[in-house]
Amino acid sequence: MHMADALVSPAVGAAFWAASAGIIAHSSARLRKQLDDRKVPLMGVLGAFVFAAQMINFSIPATGSSGHLGGGLLLAILLGPSAAFLTIASILMVQALFFADGGLLALGCNIFNLGVFPAFIAHPFIYSKLIGREPSQSRMVFAAIIAAVVALQCGSLGVVLQTFVSGVSSLPFDTFVLLMQPIHLAIGVIEGVVTALIVSFVYRARPEVLHSVIKEKPVGELPVRSLLTAFLISAALIGGLFSWLASEQPDGLEWSIARITGSENLPQPGLKAHEALNAVQEKMAFLPDYTLPEGAGLDKNQRLGKTLSGIVGGALTLVICTLIGIVLRRRRQG
Amino acid sequence: MLAIDGSFLDFKQLDLLALRQTAVHRLDPRAKVLTTLCFIVCVVSFDKYQISALLPFLIYPVTLIAVGDLPPGYILRKMLFVLPFALLVGLFNPIFDRQVILQIGPLDIWGGWVSCLSILLRAILTASAAIILVAITGFPAICEALEKLKMPQAFAVQLLFLYRYIFVLTDEGVRTARARQLRTFGRRGLDLRHFSSLVGHLLLRTWERAERIHMAMLARGFSGEVHSTHKQSHFGKPELIFTVCWVALFILLRLYNAPQLLGSLFTGSMQ
């Protein structure tokens, strides 16, 4: 599943953008060092192949529904880690731009979830280790299933964590995990079977295609440490910066704190400090939002009035936006 | 079958829109990429219960659709395709967030519904911004802009290659899927065994194509970068005005809730 812009907070989006950009830079540098320019057209065409293969559906045994190939693990098997990662990242970028699938701010999250796990973890540490030198068909299927399951479980856990940390969705963490992980377990098994069948077909038809990849050293130095450091630093920096900026605007957390302290609808005598803070906040804010936290101190009618003005203003804004659009268009055509 | 061809044609049409010649199409792609990113960051930085302050941001897609001479119906249709994914998660909010935040007469409004609506609005704004960016810029130009903004060259080359061959190979994928559908009645032939040999053949053809391309590239003296044929643009005065004006507007709209201000003029409910 792709993360969507609508569910991601700027801090999470930016941290994963930084992480993914770092890994893209690292992979590009590594690819350059390999000096194998046969891979340049191969990566591009295989990326396009994943798009093409996704247009062909298959029926999922015993369910009656149909699915399509994901392709991350297949690319890792055919291309090796760095090249596969760049190819997956490029596919996700095309999807984000042409289909608005995921979105531009969530692109970093998506590249991380769907690229890092199959290319840098599932393939080198699981698939390559399990498959050995002279792979048999059953061994290939086994290795691919385990690798695909691990990659997809990590990826979906990534989606859950990013959604949870962003805090736009109200899904509790445990519910979301219980929802996502079993679905992705099933998807992982199917992805593994399909990947293994395609790979073994290619292996029978043109073994030399796979030999070149098997012979290639699976992992040189994996950038785990530098990657983690860069990620942590950027997350801390950006998180700190944004939370400082964001604290000027009340957010959902403050609201839920206000909720827990019970100041909503029930002004309690013991919470004078909170009310005083509210008053200060209201004075500081040039124009308080009609949303919740400041509303806590107001009585019902006032709050309704604020909401009403929000709705009236919102409707007027929509009308104005539409009018501007129509006028600009008329002027163009006229 | 029609659905496959349909979504594919959609894809091509978006690419063709980028060939139009309007004031916004002519701007340097860097200006448009940076402005779009600013727009998205401003939109998603609101707190989860915000609705009214998000509405004025519609001015950005609306203006670009009008000035860029884009078909509004087409953009809208593409958005409708994306929205269900955001809604899927958004619809859980009313289930888990039942705090009553507002009462209008006998009607209780839960926080979950407000945040769900907010998610929907965010999805509309961010998805339209991405689609419009491609429609007024074009994919190769976006790659060029990102390369000028220090994206690694190997990745830029990969994006350009992918873009070039997506059309060729999706054509092939569509032909394969159609041929199979015409020969299989009902659901027969859709099982994994046939699927894997079908896709395996497609993969082998793809691999051979890559080898041919590589030889053709060597024959033409490929040295690691793809040269674009269209004119070099530079970041000049119009680009500066475009970027600064929009970003200033986004920041203003982010800081001040314009609809609230406007509404209170009419309802007089300010303190």
Side-chain angles (χ1 to χ4, degrees):
Chain A
M1 186 188 130
H2 287 25
M3 270 301 275
D5 271 358
L7 299 174
V8 84
S9 73
V12 172
F16 279 93
W17 251 79
S20 296
I23 307 170
I24 287 174
H26 178 90
S27 302
S28 304
R30 268 196 65 147
L31 212 59
R32 247 176 181 219
K33 256 189 239 156
Q34 287 181 350
L35 283 178
D36 182 6
D37 62 356
R38 253 179 326 158
K39 267 199 179 157
V40 175
L42 193 58
M43 283 161 59
V45 182
L46 281 180
F49 160 79
V50 169
F51 271 95
Q54 287 182 348
M55 296 188 151
I56 307 171
N57 283 326
F58 55 82
S59 62
I60 298 168
T63 59
S65 59
S66 64
H68 64 74
L69 181 74
L73 184 63
L74 183 66
L75 288 174
I77 293 171
L78 293 172
L79 288 168
S82 306
F85 179 76
L86 286 184
T87 311
I88 296 169
S90 67
I91 291 172
L92 290 169
M93 189 151 153
V94 168
Q95 284 177 338
L97 283 169
F98 278 90
F99 303 101
D101 198 354
L104 294 178
L105 187 64
L107 183 61
C109 297
N110 286 324
I111 292 177
F112 196 89
N113 296 340
L114 299 169
V116 170
F117 297 118
F120 291 115
I121 298 192
H123 176 254
F125 290 116
I126 296 167
Y127 183 83
S128 303
K129 296 273 186 271
L130 285 176
I131 199 164
R133 283 264 148 208
E134 292 298 324
S136 65
Q137 164 104 17
S138 56
R139 199 168 174 142
M140 215 177 235
V141 173
F142 172 71
I145 288 177
I146 302 285
V149 164
V150 168
L152 275 156
Q153 288 292 306
C154 291
S156 78
L157 193 64
V159 171
V160 172
L161 282 173
Q162 288 151 7
T163 309
F164 179 69
V165 173
S166 294
V168 179
S169 162
S170 301
L171 267 171
F173 180 73
D174 46 354
T175 316
F176 202 13
V177 167
L178 285 178
L179 220 68
M180 289 283 280
Q181 302 309 95
I183 297 175
H184 283 85
L185 184 67
I187 296 176
V189 171
I190 294 163
E191 173 83 12
V193 173
V194 173
T195 304
L197 288 176
I198 296 172
V199 170
S200 61
F201 176 86
V202 173
Y203 190 66
R204 282 198 304 273
R206 279 190 67 180
E208 78 278 7
V209 164
L210 289 175
H211 270 310
S212 62
V213 187
I214 292 172
K215 259 188 254 148
E216 197 178 284
K217 275 195 75 87
V219 242
E221 30 11 314
L222 201 76
V224 174
R225 197 189 296 160
S226 55
L227 199 152
L228 267 179
T229 328
F231 178 63
L232 283 178
I233 291 173
S234 57
L237 268 181
I238 295 162
L241 190 71
F242 270 96
S243 60
W244 175 69
L245 281 175
S247 65
E248 290 177 16
Q249 300 283 329
D251 62 10
L253 187 67
E254 286 174 48
W255 176 67
S256 49
I257 291 168
R259 201 177 75 191
I260 292 161
T261 54
S263 64
E264 229 216 5
N265 281 341
L266 298 165
Q268 285 176 8
L271 287 167
K272 283 221 170 86
H274 184 235
E275 275 171 32
L277 273 177
N278 253 346
V280 171
Q281 191 180 32
E282 228 164 297
K283 284 217 180 70
M284 302 259 286
F286 172 74
L287 193 75
D289 295 345
Y290 78 97
T291 42
L292 313 144
E294 323 85 284
L298 302 174
D299 73 28
K300 234 188 226 166
N301 283 334
Q302 266 176 308
R303 187 136 40 103
L304 196 62
K306 289 194 116 199
T307 310
L308 189 67
S309 65
I311 292 173
V312 170
L316 282 172
T317 312
L318 285 182
V319 171
I320 292 170
C321 281
T322 318
L323 282 179
I324 291 175
I326 292 171
V327 168
L328 284 172
R329 209 171 175 81
R330 284 269 161 76
R331 263 190 53 193
R332 254 204 72 79
Q333 285 163 352
Chain B
M1 190 164 76
L2 273 174
I4 298 175
D5 290 1
S7 68
F8 180 56
L9 283 178
D10 240 28
F11 184 32
K12 272 188 182 164
Q13 200 191 338
L14 185 57
D15 203 49
L16 291 176
L17 287 177
L19 296 177
R20 301 200 171 177
Q21 284 292 330
T22 69
V24 281
H25 281 84
R26 279 190 291 270
L27 287 173
D28 183 278
R30 274 171 292 179
K32 291 177 268 188
V33 169
L34 291 176
T35 311
T36 306
L37 284 178
C38 264
F39 174 80
I40 291 174
V41 169
C42 281
V43 165
V44 301
S45 69
F46 280 106
D47 74 280
K48 68 192 270 196
Y49 298 103
Q50 189 55 268
I51 294 174
S52 65
L54 283 169
L55 291 173
F57 281 90
L58 281 169
I59 190 70
Y60 180 66
V62 167
T63 307
L64 288 186
I65 286 176
V67 178
D69 197 19
L70 306 173
Y74 170 74
I75 306 278
L76 219 63
R77 205 151 27 84
K78 276 198 85 85
M79 309 258 314
L80 286 181
F81 180 74
V82 184
L83 290 186
F85 298 102
L87 259 188
L88 195 72
V89 176
L91 275 177
F92 281 103
N93 280 7
I95 298 174
F96 290 102
D97 184 359
R98 296 197 167 185
Q99 176 68 33
V100 177
I101 58 163
L102 182 74
Q103 284 176 319
I104 303 177
L107 192 69
D108 288 347
I109 295 183
W110 296 339
W113 286 114
V114 176
S115 57
C116 178
L117 194 60
S118 178
I119 288 178
L120 189 66
L121 206 54
R122 283 156 203 256
I124 290 174
L125 288 169
T126 52
S128 64
I131 291 169
I132 289 170
L133 174 66
V134 182
I136 60 171
T137 314
F139 191 74
I142 293 176
C143 292
E144 195 189 308
L146 289 175
E147 203 183 342
K148 279 183 190 158
L149 295 169
K150 300 286 173 258
M151 183 172 70
Q153 201 191 24
F155 191 54
V157 171
Q158 161 64 13
L159 282 169
L160 287 172
F161 258 105
L162 176 62
Y163 170 75
R164 261 151 230 229
Y165 287 98
I166 268 182
F167 296 99
V168 180
L169 282 175
T170 41
D171 257 344
E172 207 157 318
V174 169
R175 274 203 305 277
T176 314
R178 189 191 297 138
R180 186 188 59 171
Q181 266 171 339
L182 290 173
R183 286 162 178 79
T184 54
F185 305 98
R187 302 189 66 80
R188 271 190 299 159
L190 284 168
D191 56 290
L192 282 181
R193 202 163 51 87
H194 293 109
F195 170 82
S196 61
S197 74
L198 198 69
V199 173
H201 273 294
L202 187 60
L203 178 59
L204 288 180
R205 280 207 300 280
T206 308
W207 200 282
E208 276 156 18
R209 187 190 292 275
E211 283 169 352
R212 288 199 303 276
I213 296 167
H214 180 235
M215 283 191 249
M217 277 163 46
L218 287 184
R220 288 163 179 77
F222 177 73
S223 65
E225 62 181 305
V226 176
H227 302 280
S228 59
T229 48
H230 55 91
K231 61 173 178 55
Q232 288 290 315
S233 54
H234 74 288
F235 202 96
K237 215 169 170 189
E239 284 78 14
L240 200 66
I241 294 172
F242 178 86
T243 313
V244 169
C245 286
W246 276 118
V247 171
L249 181 66
F250 298 154
I251 292 173
L252 272 179
L253 291 176
R254 175 66 189 85
L255 293 178
Y256 302 112
N257 186 336
Q260 188 77 50
L261 193 61
L262 197 65
S264 59
L265 276 180
F266 283 82
T267 59
S269 76
M270 285 289 282
Q271 286 86 8

